[in-house]
Amino acid sequence: MFGFDEKLRILADAAKYDVSCSSSGGKRKNNGGVGDASASGICHTYTEDGRCVSLLKILMTNYCIYDCSFCVSRRSNDVQRAAFSVKEVVDLTMNFYRRNYIEGLFLSSGIFKSADYTMERLMLVVKKLRTEERFNGYIHLKAIPGASESLLKEAGLYVDRMSVNLEIPTEEGLKLVAPEKDHKSVREPLAIVQNEILNVQQHKKIVKKAPLFVPAGQSTQMVIGATPETDLQIMQTANEFYKDYQLKRVYYSGYIPINATDSSLPQIGTTPPLIRENRLYQTDWLLRFYGFSLNEILNNKHQQLELDIDPKLAWALRNPQFFPIDINSADYSWIIRIPGIGRQSANKIVQARKYGKLKEFQLRKLGIAFNRAKYFMICQDSIVSTGFHYPEQIKKSILEYNPRPKLINSQTQLTLFS
Amino acid sequence: MNYIFDGSYCGYLSCVFEAFERKEFDVIPTTQQLMVANIFSEKREIPSCSMKALRIATGMEKIIGRHNAKLFYHNFLADNSLEWTNGFRLIVELFKSQHLDMQNYGRPDLLRLHQSIKKISRERHRMKAFIRFVKSYNNLYTAIVEPDFNVIPLVIDFFKNRFADQQWLIYDIRRNYGFYYNGRTVQEVSHIHGQDIQDPYCIEVDLDPKEKEFQHLWKTYFKSTTIESRKNLKLHLRHVPKRYWKYLVEKI
Ligand code: SF4
């Protein structure tokens, strides 16, 4: 046996491959107990790999009856195993929370004995936190595929977010690395929870004080680079899941080699595809917040995202017919399509131009990446006849100015296109 | 002309009032400590007057609305004479022309105001994130901080709502004042410690018996949740600048 400290080390280590740490979208208010959910989420610290630490992210146990070859906790892997008791997780969460270390708990688990047995223990933790400790902080719970509808629904009453990981973007890919699993078992719990969310929303229209049910919605995660899917396939799956289950987030997690025996997976020592992962997040953002359709960014002709430039710039270079865009007259929806201009700066531009046409020196100060944007826009004092720049030439000068693609944390949303 | 006030927002607004009284508009609001010593510069001591400050505050709200008036308060918390002066000039203009387009980002002085507010708001957000409470034997949770700007007043409501059922103290040692919550109400406190408290994790005598254990567990967690093969210290440092480390359990 080992001490509690060692147990925490094992069960935090095994949980860290789940990249989601978001604590946003919570709606819980504090009435007399402890905690509330900050609507925008808070990162209390950052790991040395630069990821946001918002939640205490641990597994209930890393014992598992399955053998998914991409996972550290697979039964055939020779690792130390440990399990928390319900009380231990509750105490740890409360003590970390009261010291302002965390926003709440992200609890997941290996499958111990059966899906229902595992789900029940997860449910007991969240129930105890809400009812006995009167804890109103954020809770993200992993739904266990195959768990009964009644357990999922009961857990849903106490948590803010639920998620089920797709793990591998396509069914064929999944069959390669986890023959015991399929996408259907992921869709089931997502559908059950989604239905109940809709039910509760219906109910709310009639009764004002309907109980909360998974108020921060559902999410999923795909592992990138373990299996040979194209970016197009990945984003098609993401798109479909966003639509079918109204997911709040899809996470893309670059595969970190952890299996020395399976030769179909990238070998240990291979660096995780961090840039590709970042490009996928950027695409995800373009689709959800910038009004792009998937077809504009990825299609049968362009099945992979470029690694050396971001997808918005790539789209702009493929579509010179739309440029230059006049900053002083174009719609907001077109200004955000200019490479180097994000949503915040676009907003400022639209506000500021009401008081007079904007000139270059003003734009430079509004937080845009001017050296990138300048090829795609005109402002009040632009010299119009700069001659036509060929896309290849623009790309070259942009890359010369900013030679290495910037690695951006998947969690930092605001700087995605700076 | 330097207007010396006591460093409070009330004093700052009193300066605006006095400026109109005396028709002196080329003013630099500053405090005794911040004033750059210069024997040639003229100065005037401006006493804080809540009546005068209130008149200015309500006047501002009438012209630009509550939300916009608040921006000047946030800019004031920058704790720096240059930002104070920029805000001051804008308030003067606002009264003179009875109008000010706060969203006119094309104007350098307004843009500067917004940038200053953004910095403040970033620091305020950091305080929500980086404050670490240490529990003592009498169930008091204490956090010692040293923010770049005077932002603690902006996070008190946040902590009051969140930790409603526990007693806590948040103390700004740079400015030597803080806020104490007794489980019901918040009180401002100042000069409670001698000048010698520099390290919040040094006050060991009266800690809760499990405090050290939880600090240790948090460090263990922090280490275990890092993914070695993704290590990126540059990014880490950008998010957690070194100057905050001495208050973060996981970084000491
Ligand atoms: S079921 Fe989950 S924990 Fe178990 S091996 Fe598969 S991915 Fe890992």
Side-chain angles (χ1 to χ4, degrees):
Chain A
M1 271 313 280
F2 32 71
F4 189 72
D5 192 56
E6 187 65 4
K7 204 193 268 192
L8 175 60
R9 189 187 61 72
I10 295 168
L11 293 171
D13 187 273
K16 71 187 175 192
Y17 300 99
D18 215 300
V19 291
S20 158
C21 201
S22 157
S23 57
S24 57
K27 295 196 174 81
R28 251 162 255 274
K29 291 242 159 58
N30 187 7
N31 29 39
V34 59
D36 53 8
S38 172
S40 53
I42 294 176
C43 297
H44 283 271
T45 189
Y46 289 82
T47 59
E48 290 188 351
D49 50 289
R51 286 173 311 137
C52 162
V53 179
S54 176
L55 305 172
L56 168 63
K57 194 192 302 178
I58 46 175
L59 299 189
M60 196 76 205
T61 177
N62 64 340
Y63 287 103
C64 190
I65 56 175
Y66 286 98
D67 204 32
C68 314
S69 59
F70 54 84
C71 173
V72 251
S73 303
R74 66 188 183 278
R75 66 167 184 265
S76 64
N77 200 17
D78 182 18
V79 287
Q80 280 182 301
R81 307 278 167 171
F84 280 126
S85 71
V86 170
K87 184 171 183 310
E88 282 171 337
V89 176
V90 170
D91 283 351
L92 195 62
T93 308
M94 291 311 295
N95 273 289
F96 279 4
Y97 192 83
R98 286 190 179 281
R99 286 170 177 76
N100 205 41
Y101 297 168
I102 54 171
E103 286 297 290
L105 174 68
F106 180 155
L107 189 60
S108 174
S109 186
I111 319 288
F112 191 54
K113 287 192 186 158
S114 69
D116 266 351
Y117 181 87
T118 312
M119 192 67 215
E120 184 170 8
R121 294 172 61 80
L122 298 181
M123 198 277 292
L124 285 175
V125 170
V126 295
K127 184 174 184 177
K128 210 168 149 94
L129 278 169
R130 294 288 190 225
T131 54
E132 287 174 30
E133 301 289 337
R134 301 210 292 160
F135 173 73
N136 298 301
Y138 195 86
I139 299 179
H140 179 157
L141 192 69
K142 251 341 183 1
I144 304 295
S148 68
E149 183 162 344
S150 60
L151 271 175
L152 289 173
K153 281 189 181 166
E154 183 165 9
L157 293 172
Y158 306 117
V159 306
D160 295 288
R161 169 164 291 180
M162 275 219 240
S163 65
V164 194
N165 285 356
L166 266 170
E167 304 297 6
I168 304 296
T170 58
E171 197 76 54
E172 304 77 62
L174 189 62
K175 279 279 160 296
L176 289 176
V177 288
E180 303 158 291
K181 288 194 160 178
D182 53 30
H183 273 187
K184 188 172 141 273
S185 62
V186 175
R187 287 178 181 272
E188 264 167 14
L190 285 174
I192 292 172
V193 172
Q194 174 59 18
N195 267 334
E196 191 62 16
I197 291 176
L198 293 176
N199 273 343
V200 171
Q201 278 169 1
Q202 270 321 70
H203 198 62
K204 260 216 175 91
K205 286 185 190 145
I206 314 164
V207 204
K208 270 241 172 73
K209 274 203 70 158
L212 287 175
F213 186 86
V214 197
Q218 301 194 87
S219 65
T220 192
Q221 169 173 304
M222 290 188 256
V223 174
I224 303 309
T227 43
E229 285 86 2
T230 63
D231 292 339
L232 175 62
Q233 283 174 303
I234 294 169
M235 290 314 301
Q236 275 169 340
T237 303
N239 237 3
E240 193 190 318
F241 274 75
Y242 270 124
K243 221 175 64 233
D244 290 357
Y245 306 104
Q246 296 176 23
L247 297 186
K248 287 284 159 14
R249 285 292 296 272
V250 172
Y251 292 93
Y252 311 89
S253 168
Y255 179 65
I256 295 152
I258 31 180
N259 191 334
T261 49
D262 191 323
S263 60
S264 66
L265 289 169
Q267 288 312 291
I268 289 183
T270 321
T271 43
L274 298 182
I275 297 175
R276 183 178 181 204
E277 180 189 294
N278 189 47
R279 296 289 176 241
L280 289 165
Y281 276 111
Q282 290 175 319
T283 306
D284 185 286
W285 239 255
L286 290 179
L287 299 182
R288 289 191 298 142
F289 304 119
Y290 283 76
F292 282 87
S293 67
L294 178 56
N295 192 39
E296 290 179 279
I297 299 168
L298 288 163
N299 47 51
N300 285 331
K301 274 213 239 125
H302 301 274
Q303 301 196 15
Q304 300 286 11
L305 297 165
E306 274 119 307
L307 291 181
D308 56 349
I309 52 173
D310 71 68
K312 190 158 102 176
L313 179 57
W315 169 81
L317 293 174
R318 285 202 302 270
N319 293 281
Q321 73 274 18
F322 295 125
F323 299 100
I325 286 171
D326 186 347
I327 281 287
N328 283 304
S329 62
D331 254 20
Y332 169 82
S333 61
W334 276 99
I335 294 180
I336 53 176
R337 283 183 172 235
I338 302 173
I341 300 187
R343 288 184 297 166
Q344 274 196 341
S345 318
N347 256 326
K348 280 205 179 130
I349 289 170
V350 173
Q351 289 292 334
R353 71 184 184 191
K354 290 184 197 156
Y355 306 103
K357 293 205 177 224
L358 298 173
K359 297 185 173 165
E360 180 182 323
F361 80 94
Q362 293 167 312
L363 282 171
R364 279 180 183 276
K365 287 191 178 158
L366 284 178
I368 72 175
F370 189 81
N371 278 307
R372 170 174 301 226
K374 67 180 176 198
Y375 302 103
F376 304 96
M377 53 162 226
I378 44 172
C379 51
Q380 177 70 353
D381 52 347
S382 294
I383 307 141
V384 183
S385 59
T386 46
F388 185 75
H389 284 283
Y390 291 93
E392 267 315 306
Q393 225 172 308
I394 294 179
K395 179 172 168 181
K396 210 171 137 246
S397 14
I398 287 178
L399 286 179
E400 260 162 27
Y401 183 77
N402 183 13
R404 269 183 308 144
K406 248 199 242 155
L407 256 192
I408 302 153
N409 187 353
S410 55
Q411 312 283 344
T412 33
Q413 315 179 350
L414 297 175
T415 53
L416 269 177
F417 294 100
S418 63
Chain B
M1 171 67 76
N2 286 293
Y3 271 19
I4 316 278
F5 69 105
D6 63 0
S8 71
Y9 193 53
C10 175
Y12 183 65
L13 294 183
S14 303
C15 291
V16 179
F17 190 95
E18 291 291 331
F20 276 96
E21 280 280 282
R22 298 167 193 278
K23 304 215 165 13
E24 279 171 352
F25 298 113
D26 190 17
V27 160
I28 298 172
T30 185
T31 59
Q32 204 66 57
Q33 297 93 311
L34 288 177
M35 199 178 93
V36 192
N38 179 349
I39 45 164
F40 299 110
S41 56
E42 288 180 278
K43 59 176 182 182
R44 197 187 292 291
E45 307 257 351
I46 306 293
S48 269
C49 168
S50 45
M51 289 300 290
K52 290 175 184 171
L54 194 68
R55 276 185 60 186
I56 296 293
T58 36
M60 284 163 68
E61 279 183 22
K62 243 183 227 142
I63 302 170
I64 49 172
R66 231 188 137 148
H67 170 76
N68 284 328
K70 221 175 178 175
L71 297 181
F72 286 97
Y73 172 59
H74 285 210
N75 176 64
F76 163 79
L77 296 176
D79 242 10
N80 150 341
S81 185
L82 289 172
E83 302 313 327
W84 284 346
T85 308
N86 188 43
F88 184 93
R89 303 253 147 101
L90 287 166
I91 299 175
V92 168
E93 177 187 332
L94 177 167
F95 279 111
K96 278 189 175 163
S97 52
Q98 290 293 303
H99 174 80
L100 189 62
D101 290 317
M102 295 296 286
Q103 267 63 50
N104 188 354
Y105 301 103
R107 270 180 61 170
D109 48 358
L110 275 165
L111 187 65
R112 177 173 183 149
L113 185 86
H114 285 284
Q115 281 163 345
S116 153
I117 291 164
K118 206 169 165 190
K119 276 193 222 152
I120 308 264
S121 129
R122 199 177 300 142
E123 187 69 359
R124 164 203 200 177
H125 196 75
R126 276 190 177 133
M127 284 302 120
K128 290 185 191 171
F130 291 165
I131 273 181
R132 297 283 182 269
F133 287 114
V134 173
K135 189 182 181 188
S136 47
Y137 76 101
N138 57 358
N139 289 327
L140 177 68
Y141 289 80
T142 305
I144 300 217
V145 289
E146 201 178 347
D148 285 352
F149 311 113
N150 187 10
V151 292
I152 298 302
L154 300 180
V155 298
I156 291 308
D157 274 348
F158 170 82
F159 283 103
K160 191 178 154 208
N161 290 333
R162 176 161 287 203
F163 300 111
D165 70 345
Q166 77 192 45
Q167 295 167 39
W168 48 258
L169 168 71
I170 298 173
Y171 201 79
D172 180 340
I173 51 167
R174 180 179 294 178
R175 295 166 188 84
N176 210 359
Y177 85 114
F179 296 87
Y180 166 67
Y181 175 71
N182 61 10
R184 284 180 309 276
T185 51
V186 178
Q187 265 173 286
E188 194 175 315
V189 288
S190 61
H191 301 276
I192 48 163
H193 292 302
Q195 298 291 16
D196 51 336
I197 293 189
Q198 293 300 326
D199 180 356
Y201 297 101
C202 260
I203 9 174
E204 256 181 68
V205 261
D206 47 359
L207 288 185
D208 179 87
K210 299 202 93 182
E211 175 59 30
K212 284 282 166 191
E213 187 184 326
F214 282 111
Q215 285 181 21
H216 182 77
L217 287 170
W218 177 242
K219 285 186 201 181
T220 300
Y221 176 71
F222 180 72
K223 257 182 257 147
S224 317
T225 199
T226 294
I227 299 178
E228 281 298 320
S229 54
R230 297 179 64 117
K231 217 167 198 173
N232 184 343
L233 281 175
K234 236 169 103 185
L235 194 60
H236 173 70
L237 281 173
R238 203 168 77 207
H239 287 305
V240 192
K242 277 219 167 109
R243 63 181 184 282
Y244 299 98
W245 285 17
K246 69 173 168 173
Y247 300 103
L248 293 173
V249 185
E250 65 274 17
K251 300 301 297 183
I252 46 172

